[in-house]
Amino acid sequence: MSLQQSTSQTFGPYFHIGLKPIAVRLPAGAKPVVITGRVLDGDGKPVSDAAIETWQADLAGAYPVQPADGSCPATSTLAGLGRAPTDAEGRFRIDTYLPGRVAAPGGAHSAILQAPHILVAIGMRGLLKHLVTRIYFPGEASNADDPVLKLVPADRRDTLIARAEGGELHWDVVLQGAGETVFFDC
Amino acid sequence: MIEVYRRPMQGTQPEYRFPPYGSTAKRAPTRPLVMLPHTLSETTGPVFGHDSVKASEFDLTAGHADLPLGKRIVVSGRVLDDGGKPVRHTLVEIWQANSAGRYRHPNDGPHSPLDPNFTGCGRAMTDAEGRYRFISIEPGAYPWRNHYNAWRPKHIHFSLWGEAFTQRLVTQMYFPGDPLLPFDPIFNCVTDTKARDRLVSSLDWETTIPESAIGYRFDIVLRGRHATPVDR
Ligand SMILES: [Fe+2]
């Protein structure tokens, strides 16, 4: 049996009514990291109605596993899930942590590990389906060998790596034009 | 072996750039997307438990001093993956305008009035068969500025997580026979009529509550998994 997948539709400008901010839960012993940035459109104007959704591994590079028996647990495990809306100036802020390294494509059989990263979905008015991108961390030696970064043209890789600025990390989302952020077909 | 998610089927998903929907012009990426292989980051997602919704949150007509204005409706259906397997115990979130077509949002208005008895936000979990159910009121159509005399057909926004980040879906449910549907660029963002029809709910006598609420059925299909051998 094969069913046709439902068509994606825009988050629209009023998603805030249904999609509330989600604070990332820091695992015990995690190093807190603040990531701030702006979302900018093709005219360089701030996008004030975007939702930034983030998903990241724990300190060991592991993710929660859905119950194998299909049961519903009493308590949710949202783990490294976050959601932050942009403000009137297009700014967002993610209070999070440096995740561990996740196995590369090939799964548990792969000896290669990915560099620490955050998977990001971005929805807004004017996007009929959400954008997918990643945030990598500056100064990580493993960035050089990351199998996903290697798929990205070398001159655009820096759009995925946050910049260290005054104790925080900065990462802008440029939707179009010079410095356009790399988005993935996922 | 690593389990990956099937690619979206031809014609089911919109392009980012879609000129009839004006605000895609400055927001759609202009550079080619980079193909992302599915790693654990993409094939995992949050686990939703019973604590993720309050029992009352499925009923958008409750929780206020009085009932909201408008025709009461029951919106229910199943969430399946493209292999026909129910997506069990997953979070379904909805938001919508009131019966006059106004959102309780600071940036909406003043084209029509707020309803003090309607917020327009609901949450529910699917059961072991992938079924969900909401009680609400029929939202109104509303004007927007996409083109001259543009009106959005009546719709309810849906957000689903599925079991993996790759299954994430935000979509909209429409109402059968809405005369505004042929003119709406968001509804018409894909050319495949079967895909569009899937976004339109159907009148459902089984869930209609006599003398109380009209039932609409809306099933949702998320991307499914398949196991792929991996070269080592
Ligand atoms: Fe809407």
Side-chain angles (χ1 to χ4, degrees):
Chain A
M1 176 148 109
S2 184
L3 300 171
Q4 214 179 21
Q5 296 131 356
S6 297
T7 300
S8 174
Q9 298 270 274
T10 179
F11 282 43
Y14 309 128
F15 65 81
H16 314 79
I17 297 169
L19 304 180
K20 303 285 192 291
I22 299 170
V24 179
R25 289 142 204 83
L26 268 58
K31 176 184 169 226
V33 174
V34 177
I35 304 174
T36 60
R38 296 177 87 196
V39 181
L40 301 166
D41 74 8
D43 290 328
K45 291 202 189 110
V47 173
S48 60
D49 51 9
I52 311 283
E53 295 178 337
T54 57
W55 178 238
Q56 63 185 90
D58 68 11
L59 301 183
Y63 286 101
V65 176
Q66 303 290 339
D69 61 356
S71 65
C72 186
T75 318
S76 301
T77 307
L78 301 188
L81 178 69
R83 180 190 289 133
T86 55
D87 67 13
E89 278 80 50
R91 283 188 302 248
F92 62 87
R93 177 190 165 110
I94 309 159
D95 283 276
T96 186
Y97 60 92
L98 179 71
R101 298 181 64 182
V102 177
H109 302 290
S110 176
I112 306 164
L113 295 174
Q114 302 181 61
H117 63 271
I118 301 174
L119 186 61
V120 182
I122 305 171
M124 65 182 77
R125 171 180 67 85
L127 286 181
L128 287 159
K129 55 185 172 183
H130 59 261
L131 291 165
V132 176
T133 184
R134 282 182 170 202
I135 304 172
Y136 285 82
F137 294 78
E140 291 290 325
S142 52
N143 286 345
D145 299 316
D146 183 77
V148 171
L149 278 178
K150 277 184 183 165
L151 300 172
V152 174
D155 61 339
R156 300 186 66 204
R157 276 176 208 159
D158 62 340
T159 70
L160 300 181
I161 303 172
R163 291 195 320 271
E165 258 177 31
E168 294 186 355
L169 297 185
H170 193 84
W171 180 73
D172 284 336
V173 177
V174 178
L175 295 171
Q176 296 182 343
E180 183 172 318
T181 302
V182 168
F183 301 107
F184 291 106
D185 185 342
C186 179
Chain B
M1 305 277 274
I2 179 173
E3 282 199 300
V4 300
Y5 282 81
R6 273 186 210 102
R7 310 296 310 172
M9 291 161 200
Q10 196 76 35
T12 63
Q13 301 305 321
E15 298 296 330
Y16 287 109
R17 176 170 294 274
F18 187 60
Y21 179 18
S23 48
T24 65
K26 297 291 181 187
R27 296 184 167 195
T30 64
R31 309 288 297 268
L33 302 185
V34 174
M35 193 66 85
L36 181 63
H38 292 172
T39 76
L40 276 178
S41 303
E42 289 74 32
T43 60
T44 55
V47 178
F48 293 102
H50 286 297
D51 63 343
S52 46
V53 298
K54 292 191 214 72
S56 58
E57 288 182 295
F58 82 99
D59 186 352
L60 286 73
T61 69
H64 298 86
D66 208 342
L67 288 174
L69 292 171
K71 181 73 238 132
R72 197 141 52 151
I73 59 175
V74 177
V75 175
S76 65
R78 291 182 81 195
V79 182
L80 304 168
D81 71 16
D82 58 34
K85 195 169 74 92
V87 183
R88 301 182 282 196
H89 311 304
T90 195
L91 182 63
V92 184
E93 295 172 283
I94 65 171
W95 67 101
Q96 65 167 89
N98 69 22
S99 60
R102 172 88 177 261
Y103 285 93
R104 184 170 288 282
H105 190 284
N107 296 343
D108 195 17
H111 56 83
S112 38
L114 285 169
D115 181 342
N117 294 308
F118 193 70
T119 303
C121 163
R123 315 173 88 212
M125 294 279 286
T126 60
D127 69 10
E129 271 83 50
R131 288 184 299 241
Y132 71 88
R133 181 171 179 268
F134 290 102
I135 293 177
S136 189
I137 49 98
E138 192 175 300
Y142 60 83
W144 60 315
R145 298 196 183 97
N146 186 67
H147 52 274
Y148 175 70
N149 213 358
W151 293 80
R152 296 277 355 258
K154 295 174 287 190
H155 62 273
I156 299 176
H157 295 265
F158 271 71
S159 163
L160 293 106
W161 284 99
E163 296 175 340
F165 206 83
T166 308
Q167 284 187 311
R168 179 98 181 91
L169 177 74
V170 173
T171 188
Q172 298 180 26
M173 177 197 115
Y174 299 91
F175 289 82
D178 191 325
L180 292 169
L181 284 173
F183 306 98
D184 182 51
I186 294 177
F187 172 67
N188 291 288
C189 67
V190 287
T191 50
D192 186 317
T193 53
K194 282 213 318 264
R196 290 206 298 262
D197 288 348
R198 193 180 278 300
L199 299 181
V200 182
S201 59
S202 51
L203 179 67
D204 185 4
W205 288 112
E206 248 178 71
T207 55
T208 295
I209 308 169
E211 293 171 50
S212 171
I214 296 175
Y216 289 97
R217 186 180 171 91
F218 183 57
D219 293 337
I220 297 158
V221 180
L222 306 181
R223 293 166 67 179
R225 270 182 297 231
H226 63 130
T228 304
V230 172
D231 294 333
R232 302 202 188 91

